[in-house]
């Protein structure tokens, strides 16, 4: 897709907020399993959680992973605990686990819309990591208010630079290694998003990725960078699915990097780019960006 088609849409993704708010929201993915460890059809899970307090926030990933996409809150981890407990009561013998990689080797593709079928065909041309990512991985995604002005540019850069160190600190699996193998042209687990103007860099990134859905907005939704621009907030995507106590610690570290001007600028001065492979291999000092 041509950069000129993508640029207006990308500019909207980098619009940023108009005030210095500090709200946090959590998107938590869970691996779902039957009592005997088998795969549970998505429709069975939908029926089980219908009417639950968490139901409006439930969606699904291609392999049937359940996602809770919560609203911004003053106590996001408390909300996560309460709504997860509500889900567990409704599901009975069906379990939801905050684990980063489903141990079952044969998880079918449950979402078979043209989008996901096209995505799978694309990834299959590269290797097996795409199917594993789509069907068997789960993450904790943390969304943070994005500030206007120079502070907002710094926030974008610091999350991308600190990401490898934070992944090394919090992640507990080889999920990150899977993501690095999926399709570098659409995951950007390198320093390609940190060269020059952020809008121009992201537009070039999007223009370089193979297109398999129609329209600029649709195409941009098939990109999976470690930090995703979302207009007024930034979505941190590089963390494994974490238990609540680790989610709480990760939020504290991310807020410190995002909203403490002195800390943010100190980290920006010290951290190099392009260390995702080292993070996946366990070769980074986990405390550097803590």
């Amino acid at each position: 897709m041509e950069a000129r088609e993508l640029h207006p849409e990308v500019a909207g993704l980098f619009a940023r907020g108009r005030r210095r708010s500090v709200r946090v929201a959590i998107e938590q993915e869970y691996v779902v399993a039957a009592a005997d460890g088998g795969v549970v059809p998505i429709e069975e899970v939908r029926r089980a959680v219908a009417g639950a307090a968490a139901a409006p926030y439930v969606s699904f990933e291609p392999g049937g992973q359940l996602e809770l996409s919560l609203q911004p809150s003053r106590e996001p981890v408390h909300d996560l605990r309460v709504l997860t407990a509500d889900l567990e009561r409704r599901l009975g013998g069906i379990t939801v686990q905050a684990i980063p990689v489903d141990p079952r080797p044969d998880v079918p593709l449950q979402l078979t819309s043209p989008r996901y079928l096209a995505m799978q065909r694309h990834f299959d041309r590269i290797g097996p990591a795409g199917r594993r990512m789509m069907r068997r991985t789960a993450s904790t995604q943390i969304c943070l208010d994005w500030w206007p002005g120079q502070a907002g540019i710094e926030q974008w850069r610091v999350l991308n630079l600190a990401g490898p160190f934070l992944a090394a600190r919090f992640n507990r699996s080889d999920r990150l290694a899977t993501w690095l193998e999926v399709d570098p042209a659409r995951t950007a687990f390198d320093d390609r998003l940190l060269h020059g103007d952020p809008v121009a860099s992201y537009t070039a990134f999007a223009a370089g990725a193979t297109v398999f859905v129609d329209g600029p907005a649709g195409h941009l939704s098939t990109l999976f960078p470690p930090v995703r621009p979302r207009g007024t907030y930034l979505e941190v995507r590089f963390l494994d699915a974490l238990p609540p106590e680790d989610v709480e610690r990760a939020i504290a570290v991310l807020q410190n990097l995002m909203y403490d001007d002195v800390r943010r600028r100190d980290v920006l001065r010290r951290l190099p780019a392009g260390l995702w492979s080292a993070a996946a291999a366990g070769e980074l000092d986990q405390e550097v960006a803590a």
Side-chain angles (χ1 to χ4, degrees):
M1 191 169 292
E2 295 291 331
R4 58 182 174 78
E5 298 177 73
L6 292 163
H7 188 274
E9 198 79 30
V10 172
L13 296 180
F14 281 83
R16 290 174 281 155
R18 295 184 179 181
R19 57 193 178 93
R20 288 194 167 205
S21 52
V22 293
R23 296 172 302 168
V24 176
I26 299 170
E27 298 175 5
Q28 178 77 305
E29 296 175 353
Y30 294 102
V31 169
V32 179
D36 62 0
V39 172
V40 184
I42 284 174
E43 287 310 312
E44 183 178 338
V45 179
R46 286 191 201 278
R47 288 193 295 272
V49 304
Y57 311 113
V58 168
S59 60
F60 295 90
E61 294 298 307
Q65 308 96 312
L66 184 150
E67 180 172 339
L68 270 182
S69 299
L70 305 184
Q71 296 295 307
S73 167
R74 293 181 183 274
E75 298 183 274
V77 178
H78 169 77
D79 295 347
L80 177 64
R81 290 180 190 272
V82 169
L83 291 175
T84 299
D86 178 48
L87 280 179
E88 290 171 337
R89 285 192 297 271
R90 300 276 183 160
L91 288 169
I94 300 171
T95 63
V96 289
Q97 298 175 279
I99 56 175
V101 180
D102 191 328
R104 299 169 296 190
D106 299 314
V107 177
L109 183 71
Q110 291 210 50
L111 297 181
T112 56
S113 65
R115 168 193 172 89
Y116 288 115
L117 292 174
M119 187 181 296
Q120 181 171 271
R121 285 193 298 270
H122 170 74
F123 289 145
D124 282 351
R125 297 187 188 103
I126 298 169
R131 288 194 178 213
R132 185 169 189 253
M133 178 274 286
M134 291 175 68
R135 303 180 186 193
R136 296 179 52 209
T137 62
S139 67
T140 296
Q141 297 163 24
I142 298 173
C143 302
L144 303 121
D145 271 327
W146 195 3
W147 287 356
Q150 181 60 32
I153 300 299
E154 293 173 358
Q155 289 171 331
W156 166 251
R157 289 186 61 82
V158 80
L159 291 185
N160 278 281
L161 286 172
F165 297 93
L166 298 181
R169 177 179 178 182
F170 287 103
N171 289 1
R172 303 166 294 143
S173 74
D174 61 350
R175 172 185 162 275
L176 180 58
T178 294
W179 275 86
L180 265 62
E181 296 173 6
V182 167
D183 177 6
R186 67 189 339 101
T187 59
F189 278 90
D190 51 29
D191 63 349
R192 72 181 66 196
L193 298 179
L194 296 173
H195 297 307
D197 173 68
V199 174
S201 296
Y202 204 89
T203 300
F205 160 54
T210 301
V211 177
F212 49 79
V213 299
D214 293 335
H219 176 59
L220 289 170
S221 74
T222 69
L223 306 179
F224 306 107
V227 180
R228 178 181 278 170
R230 298 299 297 266
T232 59
Y233 65 95
L234 289 171
E235 179 184 287
V236 171
R237 301 176 49 83
F238 51 74
L239 296 171
D240 282 359
L242 301 173
E245 59 273 16
D246 287 345
V247 175
E248 193 159 30
R249 285 193 285 269
I251 288 173
V253 173
L254 289 166
Q255 286 186 304
N256 192 23
L257 287 170
M258 284 280 282
Y259 305 128
D260 183 321
D261 292 343
V262 174
R263 177 63 175 153
R264 184 176 67 246
R265 289 163 189 166
D266 176 59
V267 170
L268 284 171
R269 282 192 296 269
R270 292 190 295 112
L271 292 189
L275 294 177
W276 287 106
S277 294
E283 298 171 353
L284 291 184
D285 178 355
Q286 301 176 14
E287 300 302 318
V288 169

